Amino acid sequence: MTDHHKTNIMTLTRYVLEQQRQHPDATGDLSIAMNAVQVGCKFVESCVRKARLINLVGLAGNTNVQGEDQKKLDVLSNEMFVNALIASGKFSFMVSEEVDDIVVVPEELRGKYCITFDPLDGSSNIDAGVNVGTIFGIWRLPSGDKATVDEILVPGSEIIAGGYCMYGSSCNLVLTFGNSRVEGFTLDPALGEFILTHPNIRIPSRGKIYSVNEGNTLYWDDATKAYFDSVKFPSAESGRKPYSARYIGSMVADVHRTLLYGGVFAYPSDRKSRSGKLRILYESFPMAFITEQAGGKATTGSQRVLDIVPKHIHDRCPIFLGGVDDIADVEAAFASNNNWLNDTQR
Ligand code: FDP
């Protein structure tokens, strides 16, 4: 029957419950965990919208673990997420961009998952009204609520759910449970519900856009230079036109566009930051997972991002993510040119 009035809408909550029903042995724990994430995202969205009005924008007066100025919104977003996630009773550990150490949940509220998240990524853009976002990844702890902190530093391939929420001209939550499906939801502000608007996102195998901070070109290695030269000055044999450049400088927004339109998003290693800039546990892993589930790939240049095993919770890695054909070109450039990754491995 045609649903003329759109009365049969797929909300995020309904979607999560339907996923749960597809796994008869599921306990519902992940659904409850996802509900806490959803509440956190709605809170941040509401704060980002009101930021100017209620004068939330500004320095909170302290710096975070990476020595960056922390904005009030970062602090608020982090507190909101931590409180909602603890209260869900489904997590034992959390790793947040804003907190130096692992957040250990009080014993009586522990659950079988670990969550890593950046509550407000791209926050240097807030004052200019540019898109910002939340990124998160969820892991099942092998020892459940009896887990110890050493169970956190595992390869990205063990992630079971990943997503991000982008606070922009609309509020978009993109989510995957790793079943080769990535779904995009848009917040209906009147209903206060995320509605499925972008079902089964598939990243084009080849795009026409490259996205990287070209201000770092001076510090790039030969492989990175060779790759970006190849998209700007394509060979006659390739028959391709030069790619367009798009760089917002806010990972969630740049990755969101890459998923929808294709191309390559990169934050490579360079001479001043040998491991790149982006954090493995709460930036690179969730985004690499989403990209792979959408049919794309994510590499450091010479290694699949999801094969990395981080040594510390705030470790960084270089990343190139995009469609399979685009990333094959990146890998070819790294296989045949000098690069910092090889240097550090020697
Ligand atoms: P920000 O510093 O504004 O928080 O990792 C954080 C991040 O933003 C990413 O969102 C973004 O992709 C990247 O840094 C931008 O870094 P550059 O300014 O060095 O290009």
Side-chain angles (χ1 to χ4, degrees):
M1 198 173 68
T2 318
D3 180 19
H4 293 292
H5 300 288
K6 296 261 187 280
T7 51
N8 190 18
I9 49 176
M10 180 64 79
T11 64
L12 176 56
T13 307
R14 175 174 157 186
Y15 175 80
V16 171
L17 289 173
E18 287 192 4
Q19 291 295 305
Q20 181 189 323
R21 269 198 291 277
Q22 283 172 25
H23 298 88
D25 50 339
T27 56
D29 284 355
L30 190 55
S31 304
I32 293 171
M34 268 310 302
N35 196 51
V37 172
Q38 191 182 160
V39 169
C41 293
K42 285 180 187 170
F43 174 85
V44 178
E45 155 68 11
S46 146
C47 290
V48 168
R49 290 277 166 242
K50 289 186 292 204
R52 276 276 170 227
L53 289 172
I54 56 176
N55 202 19
L56 280 170
V57 175
L59 301 181
N62 52 0
T63 52
N64 71 4
V65 58
Q66 277 93 44
E68 301 157 335
D69 286 328
Q70 240 179 357
K71 308 259 171 160
K72 279 184 182 170
L73 272 179
D74 301 39
V75 179
L76 272 179
S77 309
N78 184 59
E79 285 174 5
M80 179 65 198
F81 267 97
V82 168
N83 288 329
L85 295 167
I86 290 181
S88 75
K90 301 304 168 198
F91 299 96
S92 283
F93 304 115
M94 301 174 204
V95 175
S96 164
E97 207 246 358
E98 299 295 334
V99 186
D100 298 24
D101 298 317
I102 296 165
V103 178
V104 180
V105 175
E107 215 157 311
E108 64 280 10
L109 284 169
R110 285 206 189 152
K112 61 176 183 248
Y113 298 112
C114 167
I115 185 162
T116 62
F117 61 99
D118 186 347
L120 202 61
D121 190 72
S123 51
S124 65
N125 293 295
I126 289 177
D127 291 356
V130 174
N131 290 9
V132 287
T134 297
I135 310 172
F136 62 91
I138 298 178
W139 276 260
R140 187 176 289 109
L141 292 159
S143 317
D145 57 7
K146 303 282 174 299
T148 48
V149 288
D150 48 297
E151 291 179 27
I152 293 175
L153 297 173
V154 294
S157 49
E158 292 184 22
I159 191 171
I160 59 160
Y164 62 80
C165 188
M166 184 176 73
Y167 314 107
S169 55
S170 59
C171 177
N172 298 92
L173 193 147
V174 171
L175 175 70
T176 179
F177 289 118
N179 43 1
S180 298
R181 286 201 56 117
V182 176
E183 319 288 4
F185 300 81
T186 305
L187 185 68
D188 179 333
L191 282 179
E193 289 285 346
F194 284 102
I195 312 292
L196 182 63
T197 48
H198 296 71
N200 199 16
I201 296 172
R202 307 306 297 163
I203 184 167
S205 54
R206 181 169 293 285
K208 297 174 184 159
I209 296 172
Y210 72 95
S211 183
V212 67
N213 184 344
E214 289 204 88
N216 292 329
T217 308
L218 177 67
Y219 311 114
W220 285 349
D221 55 27
D222 293 345
T224 306
K225 278 189 196 138
Y227 173 70
F228 286 110
D229 276 354
S230 78
V231 293
K232 290 191 282 183
F233 309 101
S235 64
E237 310 87 75
S238 75
R240 289 200 285 273
K241 295 203 176 107
Y243 280 28
S244 290
R246 296 281 185 278
Y247 187 69
I248 297 165
S250 186
M251 188 190 198
V252 173
D254 282 316
V255 170
H256 189 65
R257 185 203 51 248
T258 306
L259 281 178
L260 296 183
Y261 298 170
V264 169
F265 164 78
Y267 210 110
S269 57
D270 62 38
R271 207 185 315 137
K272 54 181 175 61
S273 35
R274 290 289 175 110
S275 304
K277 177 179 184 191
L278 301 177
R279 310 285 161 172
I280 298 176
L281 277 181
Y282 41 82
E283 291 181 311
S284 299
F285 275 174
M287 291 309 202
F289 185 50
I290 295 165
T291 305
E292 285 195 5
Q293 297 305 315
K297 284 179 90 176
T299 178
T300 63
S302 56
Q303 183 187 18
R304 179 184 175 226
V305 168
L306 291 179
D307 285 341
I308 297 173
V309 184
K311 292 194 179 66
H312 306 286
I313 57 170
H314 295 294
D315 275 359
R316 307 163 194 260
C317 75
I319 188 167
F320 295 77
L321 61 79
V324 280
D325 292 347
D326 283 313
I327 297 301
D329 292 348
V330 173
E331 289 165 338
F334 272 75
S336 53
N337 290 279
N338 289 331
N339 59 79
W340 304 135
L341 296 172
N342 285 346
D343 280 0
T344 46
Q345 276 155 21
R346 267 204 294 260

